[in-house]
């Protein structure tokens, strides 16, 4: 038992050091990941007695496995850089600026940060760099202008970049189940069932960030936040439910896009009903009007329009989908690791390149724009790409730790000794310590993975096998195990708002570097609150509780949070009182001194 | 087979490119720090 605990401490050590490197030393995610990888390799070689060749090849296999996300990051940065250099991005930002809503905060917050945020992130654009300048132009404080776009798309990170996190999750977990179960549509549906609670919670949290209690309890705020949150969450359930019903995986990939559009439409409708003036050009400056004249909006949107059409064709025409997905799967086998299908012509990153190339005649390639775009892209892309890939390598080394180097002739996979495997050890201890309450900690594990790696996909890659093994140890049903994995992913997505790298990008675009700490301080309680709600939901769902247990669990959560809130407020008041007393004592002492000297 | 070779090569290229970028930025930061130190000591001498 002592050896088991020592093992657990050793496994947690790289994660703790990564946390310290990110928060105290302020390292970037890629260098942190690299150090973490070295740490994990040393552990695997020494304590977990893994074959050196297996470690090397597993790292390469993990790197290649990350390509759907790593190359999507790479190509979407290229697309956005090209759009920026041609002026298309500025034109789109100006169009967003006109959607002012006459200074109606709840409408603006929901429309821009949740509606547009979800739409943009699903197509590969980054709301954290595009939306803060718009929020500043609309009159929001720097802190709100950074925090709101960072938190707005958070619930739907699972469906970001054409649902790459969900695609990766399905490929990892279906392999663990033997290949047939669950399908992408089934995974998407399970993820989507978490959404309404998270989107609505985030919507109210955003209102609190923007205007405190005063804005939060206004009638309009309550209407916009609840309608917006329920629309975003409800639409994701509808889309994924339909995908499951029709057995059409392609729909899952368009979830973020459809949710963004539906939320925007719903917010516009609500604003119309309430008699708001939706289009407001008074925010536009002289420079904005100049840019507006240069390019029509349809031209600026061309790369995204082409991308949506191409993704629609490759996913909704069954013959094309089957040819690209199955016939051209391009499986590669690296020694004793599971085969990795590259699916170059099905993956979204390939179609991002095609959409960018097709849009070139519309946006232009003159005056060295292409050369300039390529140069900027090369500078911007490499670190995020490596950062996306290295955490997959870490995950693969952890998953294959304890492998002796021999290959099982029946399965073609490396033989692992369970007593030397990091994941088995983590799963065994988790099952012993937490038992049936294990689902409560799963979203927090995802949150840790998401914070350390800065990505939900990496959190999924690192911890899905851990959730699977623990679920099996606890004797859970297959569906409950998928729920555990999905909860881990949702937790990873909620970490987006805490990720220093993302907040830094947002502060940089409005020249307010240095406020990252304040932003994280404001957003972290919301992220933690949402993770706690996801934890309670997971506990009830995985253990298949009766309805009255659900009510009791959520009531207990609310009571606990209330007590915690009162405690924090009490401590804050006490501290304030103490400082006030100290100040008065100091003042009287000084007065006394003055009198004495007189 | 071709896909496997290409995959291995791509891993090498990305890692190499990342190493170049990281080392380049580290050298740049070091140079900037050294320059700042030299300027401060120069000012002190003046």
């Amino acid at each position: 038992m002592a050896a088991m605990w020592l093992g657990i401490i050793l496994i947690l050590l790289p994660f703790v050091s990564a946390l310290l490197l990110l928060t105290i030393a302020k390292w970037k995610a890629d260098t942190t990941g690299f150090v973490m990888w070295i740490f994990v390799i040393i552990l695997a070689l020494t304590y977990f007695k893994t074959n050196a060749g297996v470690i090397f090849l597993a790292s390469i296999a993990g790197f290649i496995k990350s390509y759907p996300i790593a190359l999507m990051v790479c190509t979407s940065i290229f697309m956005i850089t090209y759009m920026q250099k041609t002026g298309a991005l500025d034109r789109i930002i100006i169009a967003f600026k006109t959607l002012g809503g006459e200074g109606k905060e709840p409408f603006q917050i929901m429309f821009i940060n949740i509606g547009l945020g979800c739409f943009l992130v699903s197509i590969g654009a980054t709301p954290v760099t595009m939306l803060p300048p718009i929020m500043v132009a609309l009159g929001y404080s720097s802190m709100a202008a950074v925090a709101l776009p960072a938190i707005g798309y958070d619930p739907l990170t699972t469906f970001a970049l054409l649902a790459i996190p969900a695609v990766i999750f399905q490929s990892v977990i279906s392999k663990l189940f033997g290949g047939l179960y669950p399908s992408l549509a089934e995974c998407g549906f399970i993820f989507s069932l978490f959404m309404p609670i998270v989107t609505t919670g985030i919507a109210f949290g955003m209102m609190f960030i923007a205007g405190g209690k005063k804005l939060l309890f206004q009638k309009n705020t309550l209407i916009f936040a609840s309608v917006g949150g329920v629309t975003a969450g409800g639409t994701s359930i509808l889309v994924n439910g339909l995908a499951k019903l029709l057995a059409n995986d392609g729909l899952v990939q368009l979830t973020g896009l459809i949710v963004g559009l539906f939320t925007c439409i719903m917010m516009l409708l609500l604003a119309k009903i309430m008699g708001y003036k939706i289009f407001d050009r008074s925010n536009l400056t002289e420079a904005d009007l100049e840019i507006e004249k240069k390019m029509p909006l349809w031209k600026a949107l061309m790369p995204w329009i082409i991308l949506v059409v191409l993704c629609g064709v490759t996913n909704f025409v069954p013959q094309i989908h089957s040819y690209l997905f199955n016939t051209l799967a391009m499986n590669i086998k690296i020694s004793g690791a599971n085969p990795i299908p590259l699916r170059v012509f099905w993956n979204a990153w390939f179609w991002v390149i095609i959409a960018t190339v097709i849009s070139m005649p519309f946006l232009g390639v003159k005056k060295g724009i292409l050369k300039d775009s390529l140069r900027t892209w090369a500078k911007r892309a490499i670190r995020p790409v490596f950062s996306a890939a290295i955490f997959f390598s870490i995950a693969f080394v952890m998953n294959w730790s304890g492998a002796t180097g021999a290959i099982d002739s029946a399965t073609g996979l490396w033989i692992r000794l369970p007593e030397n495997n990091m994941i088995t050890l983590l799963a065994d201890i988790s099952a012993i310590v937490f038992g049936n309450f294990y689902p409560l900690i799963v979203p927090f594990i995802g949150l840790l993975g998401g914070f350390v790696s800065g990505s939900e996909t990496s959190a999924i890659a690192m911890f899905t096998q851990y959730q699977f093994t623990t679920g099996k140890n606890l004797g859970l049903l297959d569906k409950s195990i998928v729920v555990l994995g999905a909860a881990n992913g949702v937790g990873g997505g909620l970490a987006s708002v805490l990720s220093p790298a993302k907040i830094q990008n947002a502060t940089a675009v409005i020249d307010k570097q240095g406020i990252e700490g304040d932003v994280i301080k404001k957003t972290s309680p919301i992220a933690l609150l949402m993770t706690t709600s996801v934890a309670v939901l997971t506990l009830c769902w995985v253990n298949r509780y009766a309805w009255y247990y659900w009510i009791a669990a959520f009531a207990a959560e609310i009571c606990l949070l209330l007590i915690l809130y009162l405690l924090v407020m009490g401590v804050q008041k006490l501290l304030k009182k103490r400082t006030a007393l100290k100040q008065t004592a100091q003042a009287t002492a000084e007065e006394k001194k003055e009198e004495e000297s007189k | 087979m071709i896909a496997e070779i290409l995959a291995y090569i791509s891993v090498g290229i990305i890692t190499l490119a990342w190493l170049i970028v990281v080392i380049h930025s580290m050298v740049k930061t070091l140079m900037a720090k050294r320059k700042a130190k030299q300027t401060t000591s120069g000012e002190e001498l003046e």
Side-chain angles (χ1 to χ4, degrees):
Chain A
M1 200 63 190
M4 270 175 108
W5 281 108
L6 179 65
I8 291 292
I9 292 167
L10 287 175
I11 296 167
L12 291 178
L13 221 54
F15 289 93
V16 175
S17 31
L19 265 176
L20 294 177
L21 284 176
L22 278 169
T23 51
I24 295 168
K26 307 238 183 276
W27 278 31
K28 289 188 172 159
D30 56 332
T31 34
T32 307
F34 184 71
V35 169
M36 211 176 144
W37 175 66
I38 303 267
F39 223 134
V40 173
I41 282 183
I42 294 169
L43 271 183
L45 265 174
T46 52
Y47 192 81
F48 293 94
K49 299 178 183 75
T50 314
N51 178 279
V54 171
I55 291 176
F56 176 68
L57 291 170
S59 297
I60 291 180
F63 209 95
I64 294 168
K65 181 82 179 170
S66 80
Y67 279 2
I69 180 75
L71 296 183
M72 184 64 181
V73 169
C74 182
T75 53
S76 61
I77 289 176
F78 176 60
M79 183 191 247
I80 290 294
T81 309
Y82 174 68
M83 286 171 79
Q84 198 182 13
K85 298 284 175 190
T86 53
L89 206 63
D90 287 338
R91 178 65 188 88
I92 294 167
I93 288 174
I94 286 163
F96 291 164
K97 256 190 187 179
T98 59
L99 296 159
E102 224 184 21
K104 306 285 186 191
E105 282 180 319
F107 165 73
Q108 286 171 344
I109 292 168
M110 293 304 295
F111 184 89
I112 295 174
N113 300 295
I114 291 201
L116 285 180
C118 290
F119 176 84
L120 289 172
V121 84
S122 76
I123 211 90
T126 44
V128 281
T129 50
M130 285 178 75
L131 301 181
I134 298 170
M135 298 302 286
V136 170
L138 291 174
Y140 287 84
S141 67
S142 310
M143 215 281 297
V146 171
L148 297 178
I151 202 168
Y153 73 93
D154 233 30
L156 281 132
T157 322
T158 309
F159 302 103
L161 301 160
L162 296 168
I164 292 292
V167 170
I168 293 282
F169 175 74
Q170 189 272 336
S171 82
V172 173
I173 203 150
S174 63
K175 219 154 246 161
L176 295 169
F177 275 116
L180 293 172
Y181 173 82
S183 69
L184 181 58
E186 284 166 322
C187 292
F189 186 65
I190 287 174
F191 269 107
S192 71
L193 291 174
F194 283 103
M195 294 302 137
I197 199 166
V198 186
T199 46
T200 315
I202 291 272
F204 281 103
M206 283 163 67
M207 299 298 174
F208 183 72
I209 288 175
K213 279 183 213 159
K214 201 179 158 195
L215 179 69
L216 185 63
F217 294 112
Q218 277 177 16
K219 189 184 147 199
N220 284 357
T221 306
L222 296 175
I223 296 173
F224 273 102
S226 41
V227 172
V230 171
T231 307
T235 312
S236 74
I237 292 182
L238 270 178
V239 174
N240 287 283
L242 206 64
K244 195 181 163 197
L245 203 71
L246 303 172
N248 187 332
D249 290 347
L251 263 173
V252 179
Q253 290 193 290
L254 297 179
T255 306
L257 204 121
I258 300 169
V259 167
L261 281 178
F262 266 50
T263 312
C264 285
I265 292 169
M266 201 53 155
M267 290 300 99
L268 286 174
L269 270 174
L270 205 58
K272 193 90 190 149
I273 292 166
M274 294 177 122
Y276 290 4
K277 185 184 165 195
I278 295 158
F279 293 100
D280 183 6
R281 294 177 63 82
S282 62
N283 289 319
L284 299 187
T285 60
E286 283 288 318
D288 292 342
L289 293 170
E290 201 59 41
I291 294 168
E292 202 182 24
K293 267 185 213 162
K294 277 186 193 160
M295 191 185 286
L297 188 60
W298 66 266
K299 229 181 208 185
L301 288 169
M302 198 46 94
W304 292 348
I305 296 170
I306 296 170
L307 180 61
V308 172
V309 171
L310 287 174
C311 285
V313 170
T314 51
N315 283 302
F316 294 124
V317 180
Q319 292 85 351
I320 294 178
H321 179 262
S322 163
Y323 183 69
L324 299 179
F325 193 85
N326 301 318
T327 318
L328 293 180
M330 298 184 187
N331 276 313
I332 60 168
K333 180 98 173 81
I334 294 175
S335 192
N338 286 308
I340 305 165
L342 286 180
R343 292 197 177 103
V344 170
F345 303 105
W346 174 78
N347 268 304
W349 61 264
F350 177 77
W351 297 106
V352 171
I353 301 176
I354 300 293
T356 316
V357 171
I358 296 176
S359 66
M360 282 180 182
F362 297 96
L363 299 180
V365 281
K366 282 182 221 161
K367 294 175 195 163
I369 284 176
L370 192 62
K371 209 176 161 187
D372 198 15
S373 305
L374 283 169
R375 198 177 293 152
T376 315
W377 165 69
K379 267 187 210 160
R380 279 180 187 170
I382 192 69
R383 295 190 82 151
V385 169
F386 187 81
S387 153
I390 195 71
F391 287 100
F392 275 70
S393 293
I394 294 170
F396 267 56
V397 174
M398 284 175 73
N399 291 345
W400 286 109
S401 54
T404 53
I407 293 175
D408 186 342
S409 55
T411 58
L413 302 176
W414 283 308
I415 298 166
R416 280 175 287 204
L417 299 175
E419 65 272 22
N420 285 338
N421 185 261
M422 295 187 196
I423 300 296
T424 312
L425 190 64
L426 271 175
D428 288 349
I429 288 278
S430 303
I432 294 168
V433 173
F434 299 102
N436 287 339
F437 290 101
Y438 174 70
L440 271 178
I441 68 150
V442 173
F444 291 97
I445 294 169
L447 194 79
L448 171 72
F451 180 76
V452 166
S453 63
S455 142
E456 175 177 344
T457 317
S458 301
I460 286 171
M462 280 194 284
F463 296 131
T464 301
Q465 189 165 339
Y466 166 33
Q467 309 308 348
F468 175 85
T469 319
T470 316
K472 284 279 176 200
N473 282 354
L474 290 169
L476 298 175
L477 296 173
D478 287 356
K479 195 187 164 186
S480 298
I481 293 173
V482 181
V483 174
L484 275 189
N488 169 63
V490 175
L494 285 166
S496 290
V497 80
L498 307 174
S499 161
K502 282 182 188 169
I503 308 285
Q504 271 161 15
N505 288 343
T507 53
V509 287
I510 56 165
D511 288 325
K512 289 284 174 196
Q513 288 100 324
I515 61 165
E516 294 88 354
D518 295 333
V519 175
I520 294 174
K521 248 185 220 165
K522 272 261 178 189
T523 51
S524 50
I526 298 167
L528 288 173
L529 204 71
M530 286 302 104
T531 314
T532 312
S533 302
V534 171
V536 175
L537 183 67
T538 314
L539 175 77
C540 300
W541 193 355
V542 166
N543 289 326
R544 305 167 78 84
Y545 284 163
W547 63 271
Y548 43 86
Y549 273 107
W550 284 66
I551 294 171
F554 276 98
E557 186 206 346
I558 291 167
C559 288
L560 209 78
L561 289 173
L562 267 174
I563 293 168
L564 208 68
Y565 175 75
L566 290 173
L567 263 173
V568 171
M569 294 304 281
V571 170
Q572 269 183 354
K573 262 192 179 173
L574 263 174
L575 285 173
K576 262 186 192 173
K577 257 188 184 173
R578 189 174 282 186
T579 28
L581 274 173
K582 256 188 186 174
Q583 276 171 353
T584 19
Q586 261 183 353
T588 40
E590 272 172 24
E591 270 175 26
K592 258 187 184 175
K593 260 188 185 175
E594 265 179 36
E595 273 174 23
E596 277 171 8
S597 63
K598 270 178 194 174
Chain B
M1 189 63 191
I2 295 169
E4 270 169 38
I5 293 167
L6 283 175
Y8 277 109
I9 291 172
S10 64
V11 174
I13 289 172
I14 294 171
T15 313
L16 202 68
W18 176 78
L19 273 172
I20 291 169
V21 169
V22 169
I23 292 169
H24 178 73
S25 76
M26 273 166 72
V27 170
K28 241 178 153 179
T29 324
L30 271 175
M31 296 280 269
K33 268 188 186 170
R34 188 176 285 182
K35 221 178 177 180
K37 236 183 187 177
Q38 276 175 349
T39 327
T40 0
S41 54
E43 278 166 5
E44 275 168 9
L45 276 175
E46 273 174 33

